[in-house]
Amino acid sequence: MNADLGYPEPWQPRPRGREKLQEALKIGSPKRNKRLQTGWEGFFPYYAGFPELFVREILDSAKLRPDAVVLDPWNGSGTTTYAASQLGLKSIGIDLNPVMIIVARARLLPPSEADHLRPLAATILSHLRASPVTPADGDPLLAWFQPSAAKVVRSIEQNIRRSLVGSMTKSPDGIHLDRISGTAATLYVALFAACRHLAVSLRSSNPTWIKLPKADDDRLDPTAYAIAHQFAENVRGMSKALAAKQEAEESSGAEFTAGSSTIQLSDTATMALAEGSIDFVLTSPPYCTRIDYTAATRVELAVLAPLLKVKPRDLGRQMIGSVQVPSGPIEIDESWGTTCSTFLAALKQHPSKASGGYYYKTHLDYFDKIARSLGRVSQTLKPGGRAVFVVQDSYYKEIHNDLPRILAEMGVLQGLSFSGQEDFHLRSMSDINPGRKTYKRPMGATESVLCFTKPD
Ligand SMILES: C[S@@+](CC[C@H](N)C(=O)[O-])C[C@H]1O[C@@H](n2cnc3c(N)ncnc32)[C@H](O)[C@@H]1O
């Protein structure tokens, strides 16, 4: 027992917890495997995502009741909501990044809609010449594309918006992106993917990262034909993958009804979900590795600009894992647990530049947001409900940030009972980071699958 806090040390009962865990849930590797990203799923690659098979096996083995509700509070590209709907379960997916709302909505498009995607894309492209749009001054697309190319991308975007986004999304009280239709979302995803494809010259060693052009002359300058062709090709591929899914479902002969899914644009630190309404949480929280989750989707945010309520910079500040210094002071809270406060004390005292200033403040911001979010997630669970979190550890210089252990402690302090964990060793981006040699630390990272239950 941890004498200070009066709860069992999370990893102490791990062997017993592990047996119980394996008995109850089938936990495969959460590592993303390129070979499994084929067909419809292949159109939703997202660097921080977990594989559909991993989610499907856990949900399947959880033996949930048919009316059970599954929640992913950090839904990203919507792997959990997609897998839940495939198993006929109700689900709710939350994310703060509007790009991820569009991606998760598109992923849920029923296969029966495959047939109209290509004619729709053809109509949208046919309007291009007739009604081209000149991007407004300050249009963020102009930071990526030369004006002639930005004009084509904005014209396609505007045609999608004009023909497929109605008054439910653009209502008098503002834009509700989470009400966008699956078809509109799918065409937006095809346009996102076209922009990423055309930005190949701006890719960095991190495959998900596209560098903003440094000078106006470095901006992308594809022809109108190249942009339109890439968009049409993406729609063709998506409609083919969807049609193949439809065929597979029909030939299996099994009656299939997808579970309903709600995708919500909200901040987990302040979200309002009904208390005790969720049966199962399956999620992967933002990691504490200084990933700016909005910066990785800057091109997509530029495409979506006319539908955004907030500026990308403000959105970046709200994100868990923000690289911006928080606006006010934050104090360490007891509910963060002892491992977290010990880690923060070591980080603050580190002799390297900015450790006690900038890095300390951004880490306080991370733990404050994640602790408040965990409190909300715990409240939404029904008594007897379960929660599974996929979490990765990392290093600050040579100091181990044992995020799995920190979240296990935080979960317990937020009223959950810890039932065990499975660890998987991964190669990580930090292996190619020069910091690994300066500060002695092991190769790779550990990705842990943490399991909790809400006591009755
Ligand atoms: C590790 S990713 C989840 C990936 C997801 N499992 C998938 O398969 O794509 C974490 C997600 O948390 C979201 N996020 C970050 N801060 C958030 C906040 N305060 N509220 C809601 N979502 C947030 C990010 O936009 C990101 O999509």
Side-chain angles (χ1 to χ4, degrees):
M1 289 283 274
N2 180 321
D4 297 338
L5 294 166
Y7 63 85
E9 282 252 280
W11 46 93
Q12 290 269 315
R14 200 195 286 175
R16 192 169 55 83
R18 195 178 220 163
E19 276 160 30
K20 263 173 66 184
L21 208 72
Q22 282 177 344
E23 213 180 277
L25 294 178
K26 181 160 187 223
I27 299 180
S29 170
K31 197 172 159 230
R32 210 161 170 92
N33 181 342
K34 273 224 166 90
R35 277 185 299 119
L36 296 176
Q37 281 177 255
T38 52
W40 182 240
E41 213 208 331
F43 286 92
F44 303 94
Y46 183 50
Y47 68 103
F50 40 37
E52 194 217 325
L53 184 67
F54 165 81
V55 176
R56 192 186 257 269
E57 286 182 343
I58 291 185
L59 292 180
D60 213 14
S61 60
K63 306 263 178 293
L64 294 164
R65 292 206 329 248
D67 61 346
V69 184
V70 176
L71 167 71
D72 189 337
W74 295 288
N75 194 39
S77 61
T79 316
T80 305
T81 38
Y82 175 65
S85 84
Q86 294 297 293
L87 293 169
L89 294 164
K90 272 194 211 128
S91 60
I92 301 174
I94 289 172
D95 208 282
L96 184 54
N97 186 345
V99 172
M100 290 302 126
I101 298 299
I102 300 276
V103 172
R105 284 290 285 124
R107 199 167 187 176
L108 292 166
L109 190 72
S112 54
E113 307 300 294
D115 201 35
H116 73 201
L117 288 178
R118 286 179 75 184
L120 263 177
T123 310
I124 281 166
L125 290 176
S126 72
H127 291 320
L128 271 191
R129 269 218 197 108
S131 51
V133 192
T134 302
D137 282 349
D139 186 321
L141 281 177
L142 290 165
W144 298 90
F145 293 96
Q146 294 291 352
S148 55
K151 189 171 179 169
V152 179
V153 176
R154 184 56 71 220
S155 299
I156 298 179
E157 187 277 323
Q158 199 196 63
N159 282 324
I160 299 175
R161 194 162 17 107
R162 288 228 170 120
S163 32
L164 296 169
V165 181
S167 58
M168 278 171 73
T169 308
K170 293 183 290 184
S171 72
D173 63 333
I175 303 239
H176 295 276
L177 254 196
D178 33 18
R179 295 186 195 153
I180 200 165
S181 74
T183 308
T186 304
L187 293 181
Y188 267 111
V189 169
L191 186 58
F192 294 162
C195 292
R196 270 191 174 251
H197 179 88
L198 296 164
V200 68
S201 60
L202 299 172
R203 285 202 197 139
S204 64
S205 57
N206 176 342
T208 59
W209 199 266
I210 305 181
K211 290 172 287 174
L212 201 65
K214 283 206 180 88
D216 278 0
D217 286 350
D218 300 336
R219 288 181 296 179
L220 303 163
D221 199 13
T223 61
Y225 173 80
I227 301 169
H229 175 74
Q230 196 53 51
F231 171 71
E233 271 300 291
N234 293 345
V235 174
R236 193 182 62 84
M238 292 176 97
S239 115
K240 226 174 119 187
L242 213 51
K245 224 162 87 82
Q246 168 96 328
E247 245 171 61
E249 272 167 24
E250 280 168 8
S251 64
S252 79
E255 278 286 308
F256 172 77
T257 314
S260 68
S261 197
T262 312
I263 306 292
Q264 281 181 21
L265 181 68
S266 11
D267 181 348
T268 48
T270 52
M271 68 180 178
L273 277 182
E275 211 168 297
S277 58
I278 301 294
D279 295 86
F280 201 93
V281 172
L282 178 47
T283 193
S284 171
Y287 300 153
C288 189
T289 43
R290 294 180 36 74
I291 292 178
D292 181 334
Y293 284 93
T294 51
T297 54
R298 275 184 300 191
V299 180
E300 290 88 344
L301 286 168
V303 173
L304 268 191
L307 286 174
L308 295 184
K309 279 190 197 163
V310 286
K311 294 206 172 72
R313 196 177 157 73
D314 297 334
L315 188 64
R317 187 186 291 281
Q318 269 180 284
M319 287 275 157
I320 302 177
S322 165
V323 291
Q324 296 175 50
V325 176
S327 45
I330 299 173
E331 301 290 331
I332 295 184
D333 192 89
E334 263 185 19
S335 68
W336 301 2
T338 46
T339 304
C340 182
S341 48
T342 309
F343 166 72
L344 283 169
L347 183 155
K348 192 177 183 188
Q349 280 161 19
H350 197 276
S352 62
K353 191 169 167 250
S355 287
Y358 170 79
Y359 290 109
Y360 182 60
K361 286 184 196 156
T362 50
H363 277 82
L364 282 175
D365 183 54
Y366 175 88
F367 290 116
D368 171 49
K369 287 172 178 163
I370 203 101
R372 284 191 286 131
S373 301
L374 273 183
R376 302 242 162 193
V377 170
S378 170
Q379 272 176 5
T380 65
L381 266 179
K382 285 183 184 159
R386 286 184 281 176
V388 175
F389 287 62
V390 178
V391 192
Q392 213 181 92
D393 71 346
S394 60
Y395 277 80
Y396 177 76
K397 316 294 181 192
E398 71 286 1
I399 309 169
H400 188 206
N401 181 354
D402 192 350
L403 195 60
R405 182 172 172 157
I406 291 175
L407 289 202
E409 287 180 5
M410 271 187 188
V412 171
L413 288 165
Q414 296 290 354
L416 298 174
S417 121
F418 183 73
S419 42
Q421 79 185 64
E422 287 274 352
D423 291 341
F424 298 84
H425 187 74
L426 309 174
R427 266 182 60 82
S428 89
M429 284 307 288
S430 64
D431 292 348
I432 50 171
N433 178 334
R436 200 183 66 77
K437 290 208 181 94
T438 319
Y439 300 102
K440 285 199 178 66
R441 54 195 196 207
M443 293 277 276
T446 302
E447 190 138 62
S448 302
V449 183
L450 307 177
C451 300
F452 299 91
T453 34
K454 180 84 180 263
D456 284 323

